[in-house]
Amino acid sequence: MKTTLATFASAAALLAGLALTGLSPAAAEPVKVGMITTLSGGGASLGIDVRDGFQLALKQAGRDDIELIVEDDARKPDLAVQLSDKLIQSDKVDVMTGIIWSNLAMAVVPGAVAQGKIYLSPNAGPSALAGAGCNENYFNVAWQNDNLHEGMGAYASSAGFEKSFILAPNYPAGQDALTGFKRFFKGEIASEVYTKLGQTDYAAEIAEIRASGADNVFFFLPGGMGIAFMKQYAGAGVDIPLLGPAFSFDQGILQAVGDAALGVKNTSQWSKDLDNETNKAFVESFSAEYDRLPSLYASQGFDTANLLISAMEAASISDPDAFRAALKAANFSSTRGDFEFGPNNHPIQDIHVREVIKEGDVFTNKLVGVALEDHSDAYAADCKM
């Protein structure tokens, strides 16, 4: 699918933005963006939210100098690599973005940045790309994979939990998830279980949980995996409290799970009730545009587009060093409030604790605290940029 976004924002809004940068409309050199994301099959809702958030930011900024080419990877690494080759060799894109899943990121990103393409990750943040495998052309606008799980490990300890059963799919993000949780959880691990990616039957794992003696269950199961697990867990009548990252309690997942999720604590770098003007406007405009509440994935897509726009207003894409410096400056208003990049081009940001609630007929999350402040990642010291 190929989408060229025309000017939608008012002239006054555009001129106001230009006044802040001191640039004229002609100063920004056109940029072609290739977005590979998951729009069909398992996890499609995640990619749809990233795409919609990204497109909303372009629409609001009135960018007719950004050509966006969107491709569906169907969560298949081989297909993602083929699409990457097409975007780089045939479409001649300048910037790439969009990948949701870490195994697809590991298949695509190293080759793309090696060919001089800027990659802006709106989601996947595998540890291999944060440490020794970091690259000056790779910027993660979401988080390093461990971060939200580290936050839940810290929260679980502060909440007095002592013995945790931990569960995640067996792929890079799942491995990073359990590593992150264990890094900050000070109690005992009752059992550490890796499931198949895309698994939907968790009867065996729930039986293990019941017999484990754990006083909490930490799980990372994004998309449809989380829906299946939560429904089966509730149906099994297990009364051990659940904890997880926002990926397992995303806006879309909550509507499918329903009452079983109420009261569950989860960690996120974003929430719809974060109290800053950019976030308030984003939640309102996304809801009006798409007739649904935004998820953290939508917020990440929105922030990624606004980061790109901020760099285009400060430097030309044809000057790689200046453009990278403009990206590194992160001179944009984030839905998260304060935002900066660490030395490995990954965010330094607060990790919040949320609780699942019901507002009218809609299941959603509310902020209840901060798990980690100004948090970086454990791999930055290994990055030698």
Side-chain angles (χ1 to χ4, degrees):
M1 177 176 82
K2 184 172 182 178
T3 308
T4 303
L5 295 174
T7 301
F8 292 93
S10 68
L14 178 57
L15 290 174
L18 293 168
L20 292 174
T21 63
L23 296 176
S24 68
E29 182 178 346
V31 169
K32 184 179 285 190
V33 179
M35 174 180 282
I36 301 171
T37 197
T38 305
L39 303 175
S40 63
S45 63
L46 284 60
I48 290 168
D49 274 4
V50 162
R51 179 201 63 191
D52 289 354
F54 194 98
Q55 289 186 330
L56 179 63
L58 299 189
K59 177 178 179 178
Q60 291 179 350
R63 304 306 300 207
D64 58 358
D65 54 358
I66 298 177
E67 181 181 351
L68 180 63
I69 304 171
V70 182
E71 301 285 2
D72 177 16
D73 59 39
R75 211 174 77 181
K76 298 176 181 178
D78 291 347
L79 177 57
V81 171
Q82 294 173 20
L83 293 171
S84 177
D85 290 343
K86 168 191 170 292
L87 290 169
I88 293 171
Q89 296 166 16
S90 300
D91 296 311
K92 309 294 184 185
V93 298
D94 304 296
V95 174
M96 296 180 67
T97 189
I99 290 177
I100 299 297
W101 308 92
S102 288
N103 55 330
L104 274 67
M106 290 306 302
V108 168
V109 172
V113 298
Q115 295 178 70
K117 302 303 176 184
I118 299 290
Y119 192 92
L120 306 178
S121 178
N123 197 67
S127 55
L129 299 180
C134 67
N135 187 283
E136 63 180 356
N137 289 328
Y138 176 76
F139 293 81
N140 190 295
V141 198
W143 23 256
Q144 192 279 315
N145 280 351
D146 300 25
N147 289 167
L148 304 194
H149 317 292
E150 290 169 337
M152 186 47 74
Y155 169 77
S157 293
S158 68
F161 290 110
E162 297 179 348
K163 189 175 183 180
S164 184
F165 187 105
I166 60 178
L167 179 77
N170 192 16
Y171 79 120
Q175 295 151 16
D176 288 345
L178 300 193
T179 297
F181 180 84
K182 291 186 293 181
R183 187 177 289 123
F184 280 77
F185 181 59
K186 301 186 184 305
E188 177 187 350
I189 301 300
S191 188
E192 180 174 346
V193 174
Y194 288 97
T195 64
K196 293 180 180 179
L197 186 63
Q199 181 173 323
T200 57
D201 183 356
Y202 294 95
E205 288 81 7
I206 291 171
E208 287 186 60
I209 291 169
R210 194 190 298 274
S212 68
D215 62 6
N216 75 95
V217 176
F218 169 78
F219 74 102
F220 163 61
L221 294 166
M225 293 178 285
I227 295 171
F229 175 78
M230 285 288 293
K231 286 185 172 181
Q232 291 167 34
Y233 192 84
V238 183
D239 60 0
I240 302 171
L242 293 172
L243 305 171
F247 319 120
S248 301
F249 300 93
D250 174 49
Q251 198 61 51
I253 288 176
L254 291 178
Q255 309 321 305
V257 172
D259 289 340
L262 286 173
V264 175
K265 302 294 194 304
N266 61 94
T267 42
S268 181
Q269 88 291 3
W270 175 86
S271 186
K272 71 177 181 62
D273 54 343
L274 275 174
D275 189 14
N276 67 74
E277 292 305 314
T278 298
N279 192 50
K280 291 176 183 177
F282 163 68
V283 172
E284 182 178 354
S285 60
F286 188 95
S287 300
E289 183 77 14
Y290 300 111
D291 196 28
R292 67 182 190 275
L293 286 173
S295 66
L296 82 162
Y297 305 105
S299 76
Q300 291 159 194
F302 188 81
D303 278 356
T304 300
N306 280 317
L307 170 67
L308 173 63
I309 291 166
S310 74
M312 290 175 62
E313 292 177 343
S316 169
I317 191 69
S318 61
D319 185 343
D321 289 340
F323 199 80
R324 284 190 291 263
L327 288 169
K328 186 82 169 185
N331 187 24
F332 73 104
S333 295
S334 170
T335 57
R336 283 161 267 186
D338 293 339
F339 180 97
E340 65 176 306
F341 284 115
N344 59 348
N345 294 345
H346 284 64
I348 299 173
Q349 59 192 342
D350 292 346
I351 308 299
H352 303 275
V353 182
R354 311 185 305 180
E355 180 179 339
V356 179
I357 62 170
K358 194 172 185 180
E359 294 179 346
D361 295 329
V362 178
F363 294 91
T364 187
N365 288 281
K366 70 173 182 179
L367 290 169
V368 296
V370 177
L372 296 169
E373 293 185 357
D374 295 328
H375 187 59
S376 183
D377 63 84
Y379 307 97
D382 297 325
C383 176
K384 306 303 180 185
M385 282 194 292

